[in-house]
Amino acid sequence: MRNFIIFDINAKDMEKIYGFNHYTFFTEMAELASKYNSFDLSLGLPDFEIDPRLRYYLKESADILSHSYESLAGNPLLIENIVRFNAKRKNSLKIKQAEVNIVPCSTFALYTSLTSILNQGDEVIIIEPSYYTYAPSICLNGGIPVYCDVDKDFNINRENLQNCISEKTKAIIINSPQNPTGKMWTESEWNMLYELIKDREIYLISEEIYDIYCYDEIEHYSSFHHPELKKRTFCIFSFGKMFHATGWKVSYLLASEELLKNFRAHQQYISFSANSPAQYAIAKYLEVFDAQENKKIMENKRNIFCELIKETPLVVEYKSEGAFFQVVNFRNVSKTMSDIEFSRWLTIDKKVSCLPLSAFYNSKNNSDYIRFSFAKKDELIIQALEHLRRVL
């Protein structure tokens, strides 16, 4: 059954409309962690160092670049090295330079993709749980968000998705590996999606910003691997996530030449280009970057988290397949608290910060789950979980 609301929005309405889906709730938990001196596992902000070589290339770029605007498409060397990087994946992704566009960040890519395809009143399906920026980006572009919930095991439900599709559907937003559940879309699921939309003019916005963080020998399968879906896909990646350097704010978009032409027609009026020195530094770093090494580091952090949490009453029902997060069932500790109440109680009283899963749903319905980030120093993860073992 489809569930959507039409929004008439101005800037003053944003916080009122989106409530806990608004960014203030996410930052609130981090602020509570700081105020009460809690171990902060709430946000996916890595607190460990970047590769020193990345620093070196940024310093080098400051000395040799003119510091002028880059082209609309982006630094040519960076685009060339993105093509090479994707070709070298274990699950090789063959792309052309004309299908690559450098953007200031993934949120910009998502927003501008919607700008380039939506007309007033078009519907956009959001697979939930989802990140808080999706619905506002749709509404600010005159669209209507339609929410498609995953099953209890966090897998996509074909019937639910099919029921969300209408004559007004213009796009579907998917995140894989997904924040917050860590679930990944498989080749068969992309095939299923194509069968549902192949005879309709429906675009796909695929946020794949955690693409290198796929665990347990699972290889990332992109929407852009699909020979037909790629023709209608805006596929978003993030160097900030890849290099755990989120403050650099440089990402890239893959799309067909036709879709990129329309995307750039809007991009030129919003941002034009991304940070020039950072683009050069990333281009050089991609020549030496080992994605497998970064994946192993993050997978080890996930393993540390999942092993230590077994010593607490909290339960991992579905081990994260990718990304920076682990969803945990808290009902062994409290049968009565909502997930929001439990998250605040855990942060303030028990000194470990998390997020409620309901923050990732438009309905904000209470759930049995909370989300932790394991994109932290090993010692912080160990200290936080050992503390929970003692106090829960």
Side-chain angles (χ1 to χ4, degrees):
M1 182 177 180
R2 294 193 295 120
N3 172 32
F4 62 86
I5 301 171
I6 298 178
F7 293 109
D8 180 16
I9 302 173
N10 59 47
K12 293 181 180 179
D13 291 330
M14 292 295 286
E15 185 172 356
K16 179 177 66 176
I17 290 173
Y18 294 108
F20 283 135
N21 280 357
H22 192 266
Y23 77 94
T24 52
F25 180 71
F26 289 77
T27 57
E28 176 194 345
M29 300 310 293
E31 289 167 358
L32 286 175
S34 176
K35 179 178 179 180
Y36 291 95
N37 197 28
S38 302
F39 299 104
D40 191 0
L41 302 182
S42 63
L43 302 182
L45 302 176
D47 63 352
F48 45 94
E49 266 296 351
I50 63 172
D51 190 328
R53 293 174 294 180
L54 194 53
R55 290 179 182 273
Y56 172 81
Y57 289 127
L58 185 60
K59 293 173 182 176
E60 180 179 88
S61 70
D63 291 333
I64 67 173
L65 292 182
S66 66
H67 300 276
S68 296
Y69 292 116
E70 276 293 356
S71 71
L72 196 61
N75 181 292
L77 177 62
L78 178 53
I79 292 173
E80 180 182 336
N81 286 344
I82 287 170
V83 171
R84 290 175 178 169
F85 171 78
N86 280 282
K88 290 190 298 183
R89 293 178 186 268
K90 286 188 178 180
N91 192 9
S92 183
L93 183 57
K94 302 292 194 302
I95 56 177
K96 299 181 292 186
Q97 292 189 22
E99 296 173 323
V100 182
N101 201 89
I102 312 303
V103 292
C105 64
S106 57
T107 301
F108 173 92
L110 182 135
Y111 181 91
T112 309
S113 297
L114 290 167
T115 303
S116 69
I117 59 173
L118 288 188
N119 295 312
Q120 191 75 28
D122 284 341
E123 294 178 1
V124 180
I125 296 171
I126 302 173
I127 308 295
E128 287 198 312
S130 67
Y131 196 51
Y132 72 88
T133 59
Y134 295 172
S137 295
I138 294 167
C139 295
L140 289 172
N141 278 292
I144 301 168
V146 177
Y147 302 98
C148 177
D149 290 356
V150 297
D151 284 339
K152 290 182 179 180
D153 61 0
F154 303 132
N155 286 316
I156 188 68
N157 183 299
R158 186 187 193 279
E159 185 177 355
N160 286 352
L161 181 56
Q162 187 170 17
N163 289 338
C164 287
I165 297 173
S166 76
E167 293 302 316
K168 294 182 178 181
T169 303
K170 193 61 170 288
I172 301 172
I173 301 177
I174 291 168
N175 177 210
S176 176
Q178 191 197 44
N179 174 13
T181 68
K183 283 289 185 178
M184 294 169 52
W185 274 59
T186 63
E187 181 178 3
S188 63
E189 287 169 327
W190 289 121
N191 288 335
M192 174 271 291
L193 174 63
Y194 177 66
E195 289 302 314
L196 290 180
I197 67 173
K198 64 181 181 181
D199 298 322
R200 300 171 180 266
E201 187 184 350
I202 296 176
Y203 296 95
L204 176 63
I205 299 176
S206 184
E207 192 177 50
E208 303 178 18
I209 60 177
Y210 300 102
D211 60 306
I212 69 167
Y213 300 108
C214 304
Y215 310 131
D216 304 319
E217 305 302 321
I218 302 173
E219 289 300 322
H220 180 63
Y221 193 90
S222 172
S223 58
F224 224 69
H225 278 108
H226 194 287
E228 295 300 324
L229 283 178
K230 67 180 294 185
K231 299 174 184 177
R232 56 174 81 190
T233 293
F234 297 90
C235 198
I236 303 168
F237 299 86
S238 169
F239 291 117
K241 297 295 191 294
M242 284 173 64
F243 307 149
H244 48 85
T246 52
W248 282 47
K249 301 296 283 184
V250 179
S251 299
Y252 70 97
L253 176 73
L254 301 182
S256 69
E257 293 180 55
E258 181 181 356
L259 289 181
L260 276 186
K261 181 179 180 181
N262 200 28
F263 179 93
R264 289 168 182 159
H266 295 276
Q267 175 190 346
Q268 66 180 320
Y269 301 119
I270 306 173
S271 172
F272 191 79
S273 60
N275 183 297
S276 295
Q279 286 194 58
Y280 171 85
I282 291 169
K284 296 294 291 183
Y285 183 60
L286 274 178
E287 296 172 1
V288 298
F289 175 61
D290 183 354
Q292 291 298 311
E293 182 178 338
N294 275 27
K295 182 186 81 168
K296 288 177 182 177
I297 290 171
M298 202 65 72
E299 184 171 5
N300 183 61
K301 294 178 183 297
R302 181 208 62 170
N303 292 342
I304 291 172
F305 180 94
C306 289
E307 280 302 309
L308 291 178
I309 206 163
K310 291 177 182 178
E311 301 176 14
T312 78
L314 301 172
V315 177
V316 171
E317 295 178 347
Y318 307 102
K319 201 171 183 180
S320 176
E321 297 172 352
F324 290 177
F325 312 103
Q326 181 61 57
V327 171
V328 173
N329 189 310
F330 65 87
R331 287 303 176 195
N332 283 344
V333 181
S334 174
K335 297 290 194 297
T336 58
M337 279 192 277
S338 70
D339 60 354
I340 292 173
E341 292 168 340
F342 186 86
S343 296
R344 289 183 171 137
W345 173 79
L346 198 72
T347 301
I348 296 170
D349 290 13
K350 300 305 176 182
K351 307 302 182 187
V352 178
S353 184
C354 63
L355 285 178
L357 194 65
S358 62
F360 297 87
Y361 284 88
N362 176 70
S363 65
K364 305 177 188 66
N365 289 337
N366 182 31
S367 80
D368 298 335
Y369 300 97
I370 52 177
R371 189 206 75 174
F372 292 100
S373 169
F374 51 77
K376 305 296 179 182
K377 293 176 182 175
D378 290 357
E379 53 265 37
L380 177 62
I381 299 170
I382 293 169
Q383 290 168 3
L385 271 292
E386 288 183 345
H387 176 73
L388 284 182
R389 177 177 56 83
R390 292 191 299 269
V391 300
L392 288 183

